[in-house]
């Protein structure tokens, strides 16, 4: 009911794109310094699936899921294969999984393969999230090959051959919310049902396994009362999920496909598909090009994860009555999210001494200022550590220049607010909104219409806006917020004995909570394009960079383009590989990055 035995399908000429030594160390593996080439060849052989590790019993996991709000019925590992479990050097249990290793019983009409671009993104982001301190599945290796599959990248009728690639994923478990939905009776909306309806005996086995293995302290505390044990487990996964999504929000991470089958039963970030780190702050940012309704937008992630927990609660009945789990969800989730989010934001702002009620408003006003000025989320937080209460006027002007340089230019804003609908299409949708809302629902939403009307309005205003006007407006907004921030920092100073020691600690805390480097889409794209041309060095460079997100990377040339060159690149909206490579790893994205679409 839960697993089907499988065998990986061999690939032609597998070769290593990159390996993460910190992730492989979890398994007790290390690359011998004496012969790295032999280690790479061995990794490619075993982690492509061409040779199965001794003792491995490959299997594909069966699960269901609510996808974009509707129950989809049976899904399962359509391209991933569980190899087995390893007891690591520290006594920890780690599951190994190959993603992209071939057809499984759950592949449906697909081929069970993954390609180079999606595999590089998952490999890099898994490790980036770990080094940011966010709970996540890990990635040990990325192996590509000469085997190819046909993919229509943008679903626009232009298919092409792409290289089959496999990622070694590592986690304590890959069991997810959807694993418990295999028992679901026919859904009232879709009519679909899970493949193991009425098999409560298996649900009990799964709960016993998950709780005793991954929540042993709960198993021990409630060994004589199953309902209390299950309630304690549900409370803990509720809290972990709330804290996880709070961490996402604080680094601007958007998952992209928060279906119930992509939610970990132990509170990890899992299944990296059309994810994206937000560049310009936009609370309604949608990273997934195929999320037409914006269901999984950045600002909706907390409520969606709560909704998914509600679906998990339904899947645990009758072993945990719904009246108990729903009460836990209402009492725990929002409170845990708000508490963890504010704690993290205080660290990002260097508010290390006092916890004041007004802090929540200060954070909201900061984000509103970022939104008004189209500021770069990561870089503005990173810059704030160089602001001080007693900064002299000339240095304050320099700081303001640095801050506003991280806000979108007029040219960038014109791309952001460029109308996307044909005027005739918009006219038709406006008419349908009035006369036939049911028909409109089949082709779009009122939210889509409102978004387009906003783009038209903003685009019109931008035609009249000069660069000087924009800079002046942005400086005014930032001055207003920085004065509030200065007043709040002053309260910190007044509560401590040694202001210098406090400031040193403040900067240290800020610099360990505000990353300098994140996996921006354009950085991943440059690495992917190089790898597709046979050069894996950029993937490896970026991996090393992301292993140290909070500090200046040694050995990396940070080339800063001057404003003129940047402007020229911007107007072109495309850019040659040469000018792309000049882009600094920590700079706000070049204009061509806005054309990137991940589905």
């Amino acid at each position: 009911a839960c697993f089907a035995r499988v065998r990986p399908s061999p690939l032609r000429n597998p070769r290593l794109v990159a390996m993460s030594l910190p992730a492989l160390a979890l398994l007790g593996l290390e690359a011998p310094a004496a012969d790295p080439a032999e280690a790479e060849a061995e990794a490619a052989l075993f982690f492509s699936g061409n040779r199965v590790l001794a003792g491995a019993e490959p299997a594909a996991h069966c699960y269901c899921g609510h996808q974009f709000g509707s129950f989809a019925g049976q899904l399962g590992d359509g391209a991933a294969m569980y190899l087995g479990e390893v007891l690591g050097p520290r006594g920890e249990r780690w599951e190994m999984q190959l993603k992209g290793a071939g057809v499984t019983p759950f592949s449906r009409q697909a081929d069970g393969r993954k390609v180079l671009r999606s595999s590089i993104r998952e490999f890099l982001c898994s490790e980036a999230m770990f080094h940011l301190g966010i709970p996540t599945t890990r990635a040990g290796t990325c192996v590509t090959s000469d085997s190819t599959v046909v993919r229509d990248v943008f679903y626009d009728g232009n298919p092409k051959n792409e290289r089959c690639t496999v990622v070694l994923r590592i986690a304590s478990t890959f069991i997810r919310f959807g694993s418990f939905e295999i028992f679901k009776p026919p859904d009232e909306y879709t009519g679909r049902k899970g493949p193991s309806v009425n098999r409560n005996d298996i649900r009990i086995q799964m709960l016993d396994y998950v709780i005793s293995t991954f929540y042993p302290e709960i198993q021990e505390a409630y060994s004589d009362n199953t309902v209390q044990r299950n309630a304690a487990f549900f409370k803990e996964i509720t809290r972990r999920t709330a804290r996880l999504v709070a961490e996402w929000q604080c680094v601007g991470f958007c998952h992209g496909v928060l279906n119930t089958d992509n939610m970990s039963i132990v509170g990890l970030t899992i299944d990296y598909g059309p994810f994206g780190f937000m560049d310009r702050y936009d609370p309604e940012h949608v990273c997934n090009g195929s999320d037409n309704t914006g269901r999984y937008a950045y600002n909706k992630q907390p409520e969606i994860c709560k909704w998914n927990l509600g679906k998990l609660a339904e899947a645990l009945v009758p072993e945990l009555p719904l009246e108990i789990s729903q009460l836990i969800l209402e009492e725990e989730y929002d409170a845990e999210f708000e508490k963890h989010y504010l704690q993290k934001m205080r660290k990002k702002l260097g508010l290390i001494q006092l916890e004041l009620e007004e802090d929540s408003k200060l954070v909201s006003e900061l984000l509103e200022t970022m939104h008004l000025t189209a500021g770069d989320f990561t870089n503005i937080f990173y810059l704030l550590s160089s602001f001080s209460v007693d900064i002299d006027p000339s240095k304050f002007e320099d700081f303001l220049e640095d801050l506003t340089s991280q806000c979108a230019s007029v040219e960038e804003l014109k791309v952001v607010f460029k109308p996307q609908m044909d005027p005739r299409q918009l006219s038709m949708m406006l008419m349908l909104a009035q006369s036939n809302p049911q028909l409109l629902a089949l082709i779009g939403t009122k939210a889509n219409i409102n978004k387009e009307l906003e783009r038209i309005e903003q685009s019109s205003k931008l035609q009249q806006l000069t660069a000087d006007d924009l800079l002046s407006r942005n400086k005014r907004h930032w001055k207003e917020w920085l004065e509030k921030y200065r007043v709040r920092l002053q309260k910190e100073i007044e509560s401590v004995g040694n202001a210098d020691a406090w400031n040193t600690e403040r900067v240290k805390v800020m610099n360990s909570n505000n990353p300098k480097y994140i996996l921006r889409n354009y950085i991943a794209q440059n690495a992917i394009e190089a790898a597709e041309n046979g050069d894996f060095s950029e993937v490896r460079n970026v991996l090393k960079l992301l292993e140290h997100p909070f500090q200046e990377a040694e050995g990396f040339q940070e080339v800063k383009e001057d404003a003129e060159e940047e402007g020229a690149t911007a107007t072109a909206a495309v850019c040659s590989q040469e000018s792309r490579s000049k882009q600094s790893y920590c700079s706000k994205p070049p204009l061509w990055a806005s054309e990137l679409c991940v589905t």
Side-chain angles (χ1 to χ4, degrees):
C2 300
F3 287 91
R5 293 190 185 279
V6 292
R7 298 294 290 181
S9 305
L11 292 170
R12 281 190 297 116
N13 189 24
R15 55 198 175 278
L16 187 77
V17 176
M19 67 167 85
S20 167
L21 294 178
L24 292 174
L26 298 172
L27 309 174
L29 293 173
E30 55 185 47
D35 197 350
E38 186 182 340
E40 287 198 9
E42 192 172 49
L45 182 66
F46 283 102
F47 300 139
S48 61
N50 277 23
R51 186 175 295 176
V52 178
L53 289 162
E57 295 185 37
H61 180 36
C62 177
Y63 51 81
C64 293
H66 280 78
Q67 299 193 318
F68 289 87
S70 298
F71 186 64
Q74 180 180 297
L75 301 167
D77 286 335
M81 295 184 189
Y82 163 87
L83 295 181
E85 195 175 53
V86 170
L87 201 60
R90 296 180 183 175
E92 297 162 322
R93 302 156 64 109
W94 296 105
E95 285 186 13
M96 298 170 66
Q97 187 191 78
L98 295 181
K99 185 170 180 178
V103 173
T104 78
F106 311 113
S107 297
R108 300 185 290 281
Q109 284 77 45
D111 52 31
R113 293 300 189 189
K114 296 295 174 184
V115 297
L116 192 56
R117 56 191 161 80
S118 61
S119 300
I120 286 173
R121 281 171 53 83
E122 170 143 23
F123 173 77
L124 290 174
C125 199
S126 301
E127 292 306 282
M129 292 290 270
F130 170 76
H131 292 288
L132 285 168
I134 298 172
T136 178
T137 57
R138 303 292 300 276
T141 58
C142 179
V143 176
T144 195
S145 70
D146 288 340
S147 300
T148 60
V149 285
V150 175
R151 292 288 185 268
D152 187 347
V153 185
F154 298 111
Y155 309 110
D156 60 359
N158 292 297
K160 66 173 187 173
N161 283 312
E162 298 194 62
R163 293 183 185 278
C164 295
T165 307
V166 178
V167 174
L168 169 66
R169 303 204 298 184
I170 303 163
S172 57
T173 183
F174 288 92
I175 292 176
R176 60 248 355 256
F177 291 9
S179 304
F180 286 90
E181 291 188 294
I182 63 172
F183 314 108
K184 183 174 170 56
D187 184 75
E188 63 176 308
Y189 300 108
T190 65
R192 299 188 185 105
K193 63 181 180 179
S196 297
V197 180
N198 299 324
R199 290 301 305 270
N200 194 50
D201 57 319
I202 301 174
R203 179 172 14 227
I204 291 169
Q205 284 186 63
M206 281 181 66
L207 270 168
D208 288 349
Y209 170 70
V210 166
I211 297 172
S212 63
T213 309
F214 308 112
Y215 299 87
E217 65 292 342
I218 290 175
Q219 178 68 33
E220 198 177 324
Y222 300 98
S223 56
D224 56 347
N225 189 316
T226 306
V227 173
Q228 284 185 2
R229 180 201 70 167
N230 295 346
F233 153 68
F234 186 73
K235 180 186 283 190
E236 179 58 22
I237 187 57
T238 294
R239 287 175 171 174
R240 286 191 192 186
T241 303
R243 291 194 295 269
L244 176 68
V245 72
E247 291 280 347
W248 293 348
Q249 301 305 96
C250 288
V251 293
F253 174 78
C254 299
H255 183 282
V257 202
L258 283 174
N259 301 329
T260 56
D261 53 292
N262 294 335
M263 300 285 297
S264 162
I265 205 69
V266 289
L268 305 174
T269 314
I270 188 171
D271 289 342
Y272 292 92
F275 68 84
F277 283 88
M278 187 166 50
D279 296 313
R280 174 183 55 84
Y281 178 72
D282 174 9
E284 296 179 355
H285 175 68
V286 176
C287 63
N288 178 358
S290 45
D291 181 6
N292 299 322
T293 62
R295 177 180 173 84
Y296 298 140
Y298 168 77
N299 62 353
K300 291 182 181 171
Q301 292 187 136
E303 66 184 86
I304 286 293
C305 287
K306 184 179 181 182
W307 189 89
N308 288 341
L309 280 160
K311 292 301 165 189
L312 174 62
E314 291 173 16
L316 298 180
V317 175
E319 293 310 298
L320 181 61
L322 210 51
E323 58 268 24
I324 296 176
S325 54
Q326 285 180 336
L327 187 63
I328 290 169
L329 190 54
E330 287 311 313
E331 287 180 348
E332 299 290 335
Y333 183 85
D334 293 332
E336 189 71 16
F337 172 81
E338 293 297 340
K339 176 181 150 194
H340 195 79
Y341 178 78
L342 195 52
Q343 280 176 345
K344 185 76 176 178
M345 279 295 184
R346 283 192 179 109
K347 289 176 183 173
K348 289 174 77 71
L349 290 176
L351 308 178
I352 58 174
Q353 200 65 29
L354 305 171
E355 293 186 0
L356 305 180
E357 272 189 37
E358 68 201 48
D359 294 346
S360 181
K361 189 182 179 197
L362 184 71
V363 171
S364 298
E365 288 173 339
L366 166 62
L367 296 178
E368 179 60 23
T369 304
M370 265 193 214
H371 193 205
L372 283 169
T373 60
D376 187 272
F377 185 83
T378 300
N379 289 355
I380 282 176
F381 270 114
Y382 186 78
L383 278 171
L384 286 176
S385 63
S386 51
F387 178 78
S388 63
V389 171
D390 52 359
I391 191 167
D392 68 56
S394 65
K395 284 190 175 174
F396 177 73
E397 283 304 315
D398 291 342
F399 177 75
L400 210 53
E401 286 289 338
D402 288 342
L403 211 55
T404 51
S405 73
Q406 296 306 322
C407 300
S409 66
V410 174
E411 288 306 314
E412 288 167 327
L413 290 173
K414 282 179 180 176
V415 173
V416 170
F417 292 110
K418 182 181 174 184
Q420 294 175 5
M421 288 184 194
D422 182 289
R424 290 168 297 179
Q425 180 191 0
L426 178 60
S427 176
M428 181 190 73
M429 290 179 76
L430 284 167
M431 195 167 60
L432 284 176
Q434 299 294 323
S435 62
N436 196 336
Q438 290 84 0
L439 184 56
L440 173 68
L442 296 175
I443 59 171
T445 65
K446 284 189 177 178
N448 295 144
I449 296 173
N450 291 337
K451 197 86 177 164
E452 182 66 6
L453 291 172
E454 184 195 348
R455 277 193 286 264
I456 291 168
E457 183 186 354
Q458 293 291 347
S459 182
S460 175
K461 287 179 181 176
L462 285 167
Q463 302 309 316
Q464 318 301 322
L465 189 68
T466 67
D468 286 344
D469 289 341
L470 180 64
L471 181 63
S472 171
R473 189 176 76 185
N474 287 347
K475 282 187 175 182
R476 187 177 73 251
H477 286 310
W478 280 110
K479 275 180 181 174
E480 287 172 9
W481 183 81
L482 286 169
E483 179 53 30
K484 294 170 187 174
Y485 184 41
R486 190 193 63 75
V487 169
R488 176 62 182 85
L489 290 177
Q490 187 63 47
K491 290 178 182 176
E492 293 271 302
I493 292 172
E494 289 165 3
S495 71
V496 298
N498 186 329
D500 289 340
W502 164 82
N503 193 55
T504 301
E505 182 62 18
R506 174 185 80 97
V507 172
K508 183 180 171 186
V509 168
M510 291 179 79
N511 286 343
S512 59
N513 283 276
N514 293 316
K516 179 171 180 143
Y517 304 104
I518 54 168
L519 183 61
R520 296 180 187 265
N521 269 346
Y522 81 88
I523 293 174
Q525 186 62 23
N526 282 340
I528 289 164
E529 288 181 9
E532 287 179 334
N533 290 319
D535 176 7
F536 304 146
S537 62
E538 184 63 6
V539 177
R540 299 178 186 195
N541 275 346
V542 172
L543 176 64
K544 287 290 168 213
L545 190 79
L546 297 171
E547 286 175 354
H548 306 283
F550 298 106
Q551 61 197 54
E552 196 75 56
E554 292 175 21
F556 281 90
Q557 285 289 308
E558 292 286 18
V559 183
K560 292 197 166 64
E561 295 179 326
D562 62 44
E564 267 182 62
E565 191 175 350
E566 200 171 274
T569 310
T571 37
V574 288
C575 107
S576 68
Q577 191 60 43
E578 183 188 359
S579 58
R580 283 190 184 197
S581 64
K582 285 162 109 176
Q583 192 74 27
S584 161
Y585 285 109
C586 64
S587 66
K588 66 188 175 92
L591 206 68
W592 59 263
S594 63
E595 303 295 322
L596 293 173
C597 176
V598 187
T599 61

